[in-house]
Amino acid sequence: MIMEREPTVLQVIPHLPGSNGGVGDYALALAERLLSNHALRTVFVVAGDCAVEEKEGFKVISGLPSALSTECHHVILHYANYGYQRRGLPFGLLQVARQLRRRLPGRWITMFHEIYASGPPWRSAFWTRPFQVKIARDLINLSNSCVVSNDVIKREIERYDPGKNIFVLPVMSNFGEPVSSELWPKREKRWVICGGTSLIERSLRALGRIHRSIPPEFYPQEIEIVGGTDTAEIRHQLKTLGTSMPGVMLHHHPEVTVAQASTLLAPCSFGWLDYFGTGRAWPGMILKSSSFSALCAHGVVPILSHAESILGIGSDMLPGPFFCTPSVINFPKREQLAATGAAFHAWYGRNASATRSANVYAGALK
């Protein structure tokens, strides 16, 4: 490859930022901070067909094979296997990655947003898992370093390669990162549900089942529903909640900008999140949720639909965790609510912020 004067990072993503899921948005936030803080410019390679050639000032190239003819110093591969192939078997991605790695003068980082799936015998994930594992391990082999959002994925990589350089880095907020002076005062009974369409639909349904268990001193007077699209299912769930939670003001803000979302989150005290739905609740896996990170970034106390005993990175533990389930609930003490929100905000800054994330990636690329 012919080298440019300024270091260039090829960020490989399944979809264009803002179009599908949070992986592209994560990559864009990382690109902005790598450029501003570390003078590392990103070129995006989007796996799927892409009609644009630029996103927020960054060059965009469509199609994985185009990566082979693009000048770059380093590669950051954002791996979410189902994002690249419908059944989670991105053999085409692996083929391009092997060719690109042989020609790369610099370093290769793989961010495992996901690693591989599992499921019962009547689900396709059960039968495709051996192939998913093989692809993930091949990508581990060609990576200088791996980035993961939680200890669950870290342990899977260590089980295969105990010597691999792994950084645990919770995902960033996709709804902004206000400074602490912008967070308070909070409204004690103002709640928020934020995220993509599927997560909002799931969280609304779960809230309808569990709201009577919320302590009276924290029972919501208003709920902001931030993000997603205006679907018939969301409208149905809002109507159902309006009947079961009379007097509670419900406001849906679909397809908001980052700035709009941040303004809506900042005054809230609690955020409701049903991340796993009917699936298995893996301890610590919530740290891969950008919605959870958005709550933390705004000093909003996350209330989960599943119970966890501890939650954090290394010895840096989050308050709580706080949750509301059919069998057990855990909320912060009322007099400690402001301090608890501040602790979530500070933890996010130390462990998951865009600045922290860019520092980790830039250090791994040296």
Side-chain angles (χ1 to χ4, degrees):
M1 292 184 179
I2 300 174
M3 300 309 305
E4 300 174 346
R5 287 186 178 181
E6 295 181 356
T8 301
V9 180
L10 204 65
Q11 289 204 55
V12 182
I13 53 179
H15 306 285
L16 189 70
S19 62
N20 192 321
V23 174
D25 294 333
Y26 175 98
L28 178 59
L30 177 62
E32 292 170 342
R33 206 55 60 94
L34 284 175
L35 180 60
S36 63
N37 291 12
H38 301 279
L40 292 168
R41 178 168 291 280
T42 286
V43 172
F44 289 114
V45 173
V46 180
D49 292 335
C50 182
V52 305
E53 297 181 354
E54 179 270 339
K55 184 71 174 181
E56 303 295 332
F58 296 99
K59 185 177 180 179
V60 174
I61 300 172
S62 177
L64 291 173
S66 62
L68 299 175
S69 58
T70 303
E71 298 176 357
C72 67
H73 293 71
H74 308 291
V75 167
I76 297 174
L77 168 63
H78 295 273
Y79 187 66
N81 55 341
Y82 284 94
Y84 291 97
Q85 204 273 339
R86 183 175 58 87
R87 298 188 67 192
L89 300 173
F91 290 109
L93 169 66
L94 179 59
Q95 182 180 16
V96 170
R98 285 170 171 162
Q99 296 178 58
L100 182 60
R101 185 68 183 94
R102 288 194 293 267
R103 305 171 60 193
L104 192 69
R107 303 185 71 78
W108 183 295
I109 299 173
T110 300
M111 166 45 162
F112 283 96
H113 295 270
E114 299 168 358
I115 188 163
Y116 34 74
S118 60
W122 56 89
R123 300 291 297 272
S124 65
F126 177 86
W127 303 102
T128 61
R129 179 181 171 88
F131 302 102
Q132 292 186 20
V133 171
K134 178 63 167 59
I135 293 171
R137 289 178 173 178
D138 286 346
L139 291 174
I140 293 168
N141 289 339
L142 61 79
S143 302
N144 297 107
S145 302
C146 299
V147 177
V148 300
S149 61
N150 55 80
D151 285 331
V152 178
I153 300 178
K154 179 175 183 283
R155 287 193 295 269
E156 286 298 309
I157 295 174
E158 288 178 332
R159 187 175 293 117
Y160 171 65
D161 185 353
K164 182 60 65 174
N165 194 29
I166 307 171
F167 299 92
V168 181
L169 189 65
V171 299
M172 294 174 272
S173 164
N174 56 357
F175 285 146
E177 297 179 345
V179 298
S180 59
S181 61
E182 298 172 336
L183 299 179
W184 292 275
K186 298 284 191 181
R187 299 183 195 173
E188 194 171 86
K189 294 190 175 185
R190 179 171 176 168
W191 287 55
V192 65
I193 295 172
C194 66
T197 302
S198 296
L199 179 58
I200 287 176
E201 291 175 351
R202 193 161 64 241
S203 296
L204 288 171
R205 286 193 293 269
L207 183 61
R209 296 191 297 267
I210 205 69
H211 69 90
R212 293 177 183 84
S213 299
I214 298 172
E217 64 267 30
F218 297 134
Y219 196 85
Q221 292 179 343
E222 53 184 329
I223 304 174
E224 306 293 342
I225 298 94
V226 181
T229 55
D230 185 18
T231 65
E233 176 62 19
I234 288 179
R235 292 195 297 272
H236 171 71
Q237 291 300 327
L238 291 175
K239 183 178 179 180
T240 301
L241 277 181
T243 301
S244 62
M245 302 176 71
V248 178
M249 294 181 288
L250 303 167
H251 309 288
H252 186 206
H253 310 272
E255 300 179 15
V256 291
T257 66
V258 171
Q260 290 169 336
S262 186
T263 299
L264 291 164
L265 264 70
C268 298
S269 289
F270 297 102
W272 172 249
L273 182 59
D274 181 24
Y275 185 68
F276 295 103
T278 58
R280 177 179 174 180
W282 289 88
M285 192 69 84
I286 193 69
L287 298 181
K288 73 187 288 289
S289 167
S290 57
S291 297
F292 180 84
S293 290
L295 298 176
C296 294
H298 289 80
V300 179
V301 176
I303 305 297
L304 309 178
S305 64
H306 69 281
E308 297 221 16
S309 56
I310 58 172
L311 195 57
I313 296 296
S315 61
D316 194 351
M317 294 292 107
L318 279 161
F322 303 108
F323 44 82
C324 187
T325 77
S327 57
V328 61
I329 64 171
N330 185 35
F331 276 71
K333 293 185 180 346
R334 188 172 187 176
E335 63 273 15
Q336 296 176 350
L337 183 56
T340 301
F344 274 98
H345 178 265
W347 182 93
Y348 175 86
R350 293 191 301 269
N351 294 282
S353 68
T355 295
R356 163 67 178 160
S357 299
N359 289 344
V360 169
Y361 279 94
L365 291 175
K366 290 182 179 179

